Amino acid sequence: MTGDDIKKRILETFSAVTFKYQGKNCGVDPFSMKKFCLWFGNKEQYTTSIEETMTTKFFGGKSLVEIAELIQID
């Protein structure tokens, strides 16, 4: 899966996109086009755009773009 695939999935489904990374439950929950909740284990962070969501280094110090090919969306 590529970063573009994940971005498209988040924008098309408007429900939580979940996956495992580094043995932790992770995901992105799009509340609106301007509010996204990222979670990595028990940590959360909010972003305000899909671009920020894709590039924020939150998942073990990596962004969604960086880990896209390493994860499988549930």
Side-chain angles (χ1 to χ4, degrees):
M1 185 164 272
T2 68
D4 284 339
D5 293 331
I6 294 171
K7 181 178 178 178
K8 184 176 177 182
R9 186 109 176 242
I10 292 168
L11 292 175
E12 285 180 348
T13 62
F14 261 95
S15 63
V17 173
T18 61
F19 56 93
K20 288 199 183 287
Y21 182 65
Q22 294 182 343
K24 297 182 181 188
N25 292 324
C26 306
V28 177
D29 201 352
F31 294 129
S32 72
M33 292 300 287
K34 293 185 178 182
K35 186 173 184 183
F36 300 82
C37 178
L38 287 64
W39 72 91
F40 177 63
N42 62 357
K43 297 179 182 178
E44 289 186 353
Q45 181 170 333
Y46 291 88
T47 56
T48 59
S49 70
I50 190 64
E51 290 77 19
E52 183 182 8
T53 299
M54 297 303 297
T55 60
T56 296
K57 293 184 181 286
F58 176 71
F59 301 98
K62 303 279 185 180
S63 70
L64 275 173
V65 171
E66 293 172 310
I67 66 170
E69 293 183 11
L70 305 173
I71 62 173
Q72 173 132 5
I73 301 295
D74 297 329

